[in-house]
Amino acid sequence: MSEEIIRVEHLKKYFQVRSGFFSKSHKVLKAVDDVSFTIRKGEIFGVVGESGCGKSTLARCILRLGDVTDGNVFFQGHDISRLKPAQLKEYRSKMQMVFQNPFSSFNPSMTIRQTFLEIGRVYGMERAATEERSRELVRQVRLPEDILLRRPNELSGGQLQRLAIARALFLNPPFILADEAVSALDVSVQAQILNLILDLRDSLGLTMLFISHDLTVVEHLCDTVLVMYLGSVVELAPTRELFANLLHPYSQALVSAKPREHPDAPANRIMLEGEAKSAIDGGSGCRFAPRCRYFQSGKCDCDTPVLREVTPGHFVACHRYDETEEKQ
Ligand SMILES: Nc1ncnc2c1ncn2[C@@H]1O[C@H](COP(=O)(O)OP(=O)(O)O)[C@@H](O)[C@H]1O
Ligand code: SF4
Ligand SMILES: [Mg+2]
């Protein structure tokens, strides 16, 4: 088995939020609630779920942009979950990020060349070496070298996102985290960027955590997929296995909501009915219960389902799989 790059163990990130607009009392919002997984070298690990389910909060915890409430994050075997900012310095260059909006992630007053020179300066690289590395990276993300002389407002979203990937690769980091990195792009440009990431994975051995609300994107790109719902992991499996045997009712609904490839294809859409619980709601029971078509009274509303391995490598948190491996 290849080297472990990221290991997250029982990670929790809770926020204190006001109970109401005029209220002085607080409630606890469980944005990430007991999440565990491992990412190995060369793996593209996908995290998918609706907006607000805690994907970006999870990302911030892994990058240690803020404190974690409980649990641990290991980077290449080192527990970084309680390190102070000064101690985190050596890890910052090893974990790079690609953001959703490439336009706001580049300094508009600098050319791309100046942006790269600035990174080289911060990390103590020789100017000539920085220039050489910049040209090499631009070629790697399949852009012409003269693009280095342009400013962000002279570039398209797709070009800028390629450059954001190049920037993330600058220091040859062992780990890249991409949060909704293709969500702001047109579908055809999205496909080009996804193919570029796949090529870079093959040529450079990239290890990546790829976050998206879009299941189609995750299916195309990722080796492993983790499905999140209101702060918790509901299903986790290698991508092929997950899409061949969707177990959790939420994953099934997400897949059925995918746009059909052809208008004549049958629409087996599962409508998510009922009001979603909130990550603030306390109490036991399954968080998906109000929207679940398999809801079992006396079970799903009482006991919180735990994530368990129902077939090798395929984990699900749902009472339907408590006794038998598969009931459907
Ligand atoms: N700093 C914060 N303070 C309070 N609540 C927050 C904060 N950051 C995120 N949240 C809440 O945590 C939940 C998860 O948010 P987020 O991680 O941004 O979700 P996603 O990236 O999946 O859309 C949401 O309910 C959001 O409102
Ligand atoms: S535990 Fe019950 S409510 Fe939750 S997803 Fe499974 S069947 Fe539905
Ligand atoms: Mg987000």
Side-chain angles (χ1 to χ4, degrees), residues 15 17 29 31 50-57:
F15 295 109
V17 291
L29 187 152
E50 287 165 304
S51 175
C53 72
K55 304 181 296 296
S56 296
T57 306

Side-chain angles (χ1 to χ4, degrees), residues 78-287:
H78 303 282
D79 188 350
I80 61 165
S81 32
R82 307 283 177 277
L83 295 186
K84 303 264 177 296
Q87 299 168 304
L88 281 166
K89 243 181 177 173
E90 71 165 289
Y91 295 98
R92 293 273 176 243
S93 60
K94 295 180 178 168
M95 301 202 251
Q96 294 293 317
M97 177 116 188
V98 181
F99 298 95
Q100 173 168 0
N101 187 347
F103 291 98
S104 61
S105 68
F106 279 89
N107 184 335
S109 63
M110 283 182 168
T111 63
I112 302 303
R113 174 171 170 263
Q114 287 167 332
T115 297
F116 284 144
L117 282 174
E118 182 60 16
I119 301 173
R121 193 188 62 74
V122 169
Y123 287 98
M125 277 171 77
E126 300 253 337
R127 194 179 172 96
T130 307
E131 299 266 23
E132 179 50 37
R133 179 77 179 133
S134 309
R135 286 195 293 272
E136 180 190 26
L137 282 167
V138 162
R139 285 194 301 271
Q140 266 176 348
V141 297
R142 299 198 212 111
L143 290 171
E145 282 182 24
D146 60 6
I147 216 155
L148 285 164
L149 302 175
R150 298 206 215 156
R151 289 192 164 73
N153 67 347
E154 297 165 323
L155 298 163
S156 70
Q159 287 172 322
L160 268 180
Q161 206 56 314
R162 282 172 192 266
L163 290 166
I165 293 169
R167 181 179 54 188
L169 291 170
F170 199 87
L171 300 163
N172 228 344
F175 176 64
I176 293 182
L177 196 154
D179 189 356
E180 301 280 8
V182 298
S183 307
L185 305 173
D186 292 344
V187 174
S188 62
V189 181
Q190 263 190 14
Q192 292 165 14
I193 300 286
L194 296 178
N195 288 334
L196 172 68
I197 294 174
L198 285 172
D199 288 351
L200 291 172
R201 194 265 307 267
D202 292 345
S203 56
L204 306 175
L206 285 191
T207 307
M208 184 179 260
L209 174 62
F210 187 90
I211 290 175
S212 178
H213 66 279
D214 186 338
L215 214 71
T216 314
V217 164
V218 167
E219 184 178 9
H220 182 75
L221 186 71
C222 301
D223 302 298
T224 309
V225 176
L226 179 154
V227 184
M228 247 180 122
Y229 188 78
L230 285 182
S232 299
V233 182
V234 295
E235 192 159 1
L236 169 65
T239 308
R240 258 196 219 158
E241 160 61 22
L242 186 102
F243 286 93
N245 297 301
L246 287 161
L247 299 181
H248 198 281
Y250 175 62
S251 315
Q252 293 169 359
L254 268 187
V255 167
S256 81
K258 269 195 333 185
R260 284 174 291 159
E261 274 162 22
H262 192 279
D264 295 337
N268 299 319
R269 200 164 273 230
I270 303 168
M271 298 306 291
L272 283 177
E273 288 167 358
E275 184 85 4
K277 266 193 175 189
S278 119
I280 298 176
D281 290 338
S284 49
C286 173
R287 286 188 174 181

Side-chain angles (χ1 to χ4, degrees), residues 286-316:
C286 173
R287 286 188 174 181
F288 189 59
R291 301 168 88 185
C292 182
R293 59 188 184 144
Y294 300 109
F295 172 79
Q296 299 171 59
S297 179
K299 186 141 193 145
C300 302
D301 48 350
C302 300
D303 305 330
T304 306
V306 292
L307 192 71
R308 46 184 227 99
E309 194 170 17
V310 290
T311 56
H314 195 150
F315 297 80
V316 65

